[in-house]
């Protein structure tokens, strides 16, 4: 009898909302990509914005953080949402990796030079930089941001991750916030734990004070 082709394993979709500016989202994104190597999941990248998240409470923020949001947060995320709108969501993963490697690991920060170099690395047109100060795709940015926030609720930040819950519907969390990003079996165990708490009806939060900053690893 002819050999029967094995049915491809259906991967579990995991939605991840990020702002390229956020170092903690970057840490979590490296973890969830590591999980892809050990569990049958597929990350779907989505855009959110720290500038949008905080726009109604700027007066309550520390001056340094407020200045950062006003001067550095809009440009990169506008370029990212433009890339998604003009070239499809499938470009987001590689673009985010190129951006984060420069902004965070390389210490370049969210500069025009870093973003332009990331576009070039992944083969996206330099013309996307024209959206740095452009609000053309702001409705799409706000819609993507709202989708993530509506899943997880208010008073959170980046990242937002949505995973399967007890009834098969997605449950969203802020986090997990972790540094450095776990590797290998440690990454897989954290994923298993995330699914475990997501399976508990009524589970909302585990938290402790951060005593270390993001540890960026190449």
């Amino acid at each position: 009898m002819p050999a029967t082709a094995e049915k491809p394993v259906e991967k579990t979709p995991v939605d991840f909302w990020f702002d390229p500016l956020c170092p903690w989202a970057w840490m979590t994104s490296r973890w969830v990509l590591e999980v892809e190597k050990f569990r049958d999941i597929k990350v779907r990248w989505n855009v959110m914005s720290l500038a949008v998240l905080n726009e109604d409470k700027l007066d309550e923020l520390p001056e340094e953080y407020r200045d950062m949001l006003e001067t550095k947060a809009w440009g990169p995320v506008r370029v990212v949402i433009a890339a998604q709108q003009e070239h499809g969501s499938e470009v987001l993963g590689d673009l985010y990796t190129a951006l984060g490697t420069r902004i965070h690991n390389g210490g370049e920060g969210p500069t025009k030079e870093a973003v332009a170099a990331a576009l070039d690395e992944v083969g996206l047109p330099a013309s996307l930089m024209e959206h740095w100060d452009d609000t053309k795709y702001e409705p799409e940015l706000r819609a993507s941001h709202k989708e993530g926030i509506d899943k997880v609720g208010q008073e959170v930040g980046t990242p937002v991750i949505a995973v399967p819950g007890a009834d098969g519907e997605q449950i969203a969390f802020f986090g997990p916030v972790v540094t450095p990003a776990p590797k290998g079996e440690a990454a897989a165990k954290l994923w298993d734990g995330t699914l475990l708490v997501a399976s508990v009806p009524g589970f909302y939060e585990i938290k402790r004070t951060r005593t270390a900053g993001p540890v960026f690893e190449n």
Side-chain angles (χ1 to χ4, degrees):
M1 296 178 62
T4 302
E6 292 187 8
K7 185 178 180 180
V9 175
E10 186 173 344
K11 294 183 179 294
T12 299
V14 179
D15 281 296
F16 191 105
W17 280 264
F18 70 93
D19 183 323
L21 189 67
C22 180
W24 294 105
W26 176 245
M27 291 284 91
T28 308
S29 73
R30 299 309 93 183
W31 159 70
V32 78
L33 283 179
E34 183 75 1
V35 174
E36 278 193 329
K37 303 174 185 177
F38 297 91
R39 298 293 186 265
D40 291 323
I41 70 167
K42 178 61 178 177
V43 182
R44 300 188 299 202
W45 302 101
N46 304 271
V47 187
M48 65 183 297
S49 167
L50 288 172
V52 172
L53 182 69
N54 291 285
E55 64 183 351
D56 293 330
K57 50 188 175 185
L58 288 175
D59 291 343
E60 305 170 15
L61 301 175
E63 182 178 359
E64 182 179 359
Y65 189 60
R66 181 174 66 248
D67 290 346
M68 184 272 295
L69 290 176
E70 293 178 330
T71 61
K72 299 179 179 180
W74 282 107
V77 79
R78 283 172 174 160
V79 173
V80 171
I81 197 69
Q84 181 196 40
Q85 292 300 306
E86 296 183 6
H87 299 277
S89 295
E90 62 271 13
V91 306
L92 287 182
D94 288 344
L95 178 56
Y96 184 28
T97 291
L99 285 167
T101 300
R102 286 173 170 78
I103 293 172
H104 303 297
N105 294 49
E108 297 179 39
T111 64
K112 284 187 175 181
E113 293 78 11
V115 175
L119 291 174
D120 181 66
E121 179 183 334
V122 299
L124 289 170
S127 59
L128 286 169
M129 289 299 299
E130 296 172 6
H131 295 282
W132 186 272
D133 295 309
D134 181 25
T135 60
K136 177 179 179 180
Y137 293 117
E138 187 167 319
E140 289 80 4
L141 172 61
R142 290 180 179 275
S144 180
H145 176 90
K146 183 177 184 298
E147 182 184 8
I149 291 298
D150 283 351
K151 286 181 178 289
V152 74
Q154 302 299 318
E155 302 304 322
V156 299
T158 54
V160 170
I161 186 171
V163 305
D167 57 3
E169 293 188 8
Q170 282 190 323
I171 299 293
F173 294 114
F174 161 57
V177 176
V178 60
T179 184
K183 304 291 185 182
E185 188 59 25
K189 285 182 178 179
L190 179 55
W191 169 254
D192 294 341
T194 302
L195 289 186
L196 179 60
V197 297
S199 73
V200 179
F203 174 84
Y204 293 103
E205 184 176 11
I206 292 177
K207 190 172 184 179
R208 63 174 178 159
T209 299
R210 301 175 196 171
T211 58
V215 177
F216 305 123
E217 299 177 334
N218 294 323

